[in-house]
Amino acid sequence: MNDVKKNWTGNIQLGVEVDHAVVLKQLCKSFNACPFFKYSGMEMRVVDDQIEAYVEMKPELVGNLAFQILHGGVAATILDSIGGIVAMEQLYRHSTPENLPDTIKKVSRLATVDMRVDYLAPGRGQFFIARAETLRLGRKGCTMRMTMVNDEDKPIATAIASYAY
């Protein structure tokens, strides 16, 4: 378990200032190692010092055969995932060397409590990108807003979720 925690946090040392770039890369690496992400082709990546989710359209992700559009469950999954990983990133961003052990504990416990998804348009496109923003970051949980767009930057779905830690 200790090795998992070290990998998850980029092998940062307790009591030392956190290198944010390392944390971003390590969070993405951890999510991308998830078997479901590998199976579905979803990936987290760092773009302009922020984490974004990316997935290419492929036949296995079609939810409506007649219209060949992305399954709503895939959209919900990628929105939930980007919300969670950005929440983790925000916890580290607001961490200090003194409260880093508490931050690591919060990150390891982070879980979705509630999520509402609004589907704005059919999931058509060659690829989809999702991003998240923090609405509120509290002591025991946070609220995030996520948006998924297609390759033409057209909004496909949006969500608001609460995460506990």
Side-chain angles (χ1 to χ4, degrees), residues 120-134:
L120 308 173
R124 291 190 182 97
Q126 294 179 359
F127 62 84
F128 303 93
I129 294 172
R131 295 180 186 91
E133 64 177 311
T134 306

Side-chain angles (χ1 to χ4, degrees), residues 8 20 23-24 27-28 31 37 43-47 49-54 77-94 103 107 110 112 129-137 142-147 161 163 165:
W8 187 255
H20 192 67
V23 169
L24 290 173
L27 285 170
C28 289
F31 267 70
F37 272 38
E43 73 173 294
M44 297 292 175
R45 59 190 189 182
V46 179
V47 176
D49 197 38
Q50 293 184 333
I51 299 174
E52 70 177 26
Y54 175 87
T77 299
I78 204 162
L79 289 167
D80 184 30
S81 298
I82 192 63
I85 195 171
V86 171
M88 292 173 184
E89 179 266 332
Q90 287 296 299
L91 286 167
Y92 280 118
R93 189 178 293 265
H94 291 90
T103 299
V107 166
L110 190 133
T112 308
I129 294 172
R131 295 180 186 91
E133 64 177 311
T134 306
L135 298 178
R136 180 181 182 280
L137 190 67
C142 63
T143 304
M144 308 295 289
R145 179 181 311 153
M146 300 79 74
T147 303
Y163 300 88
Y165 34 78

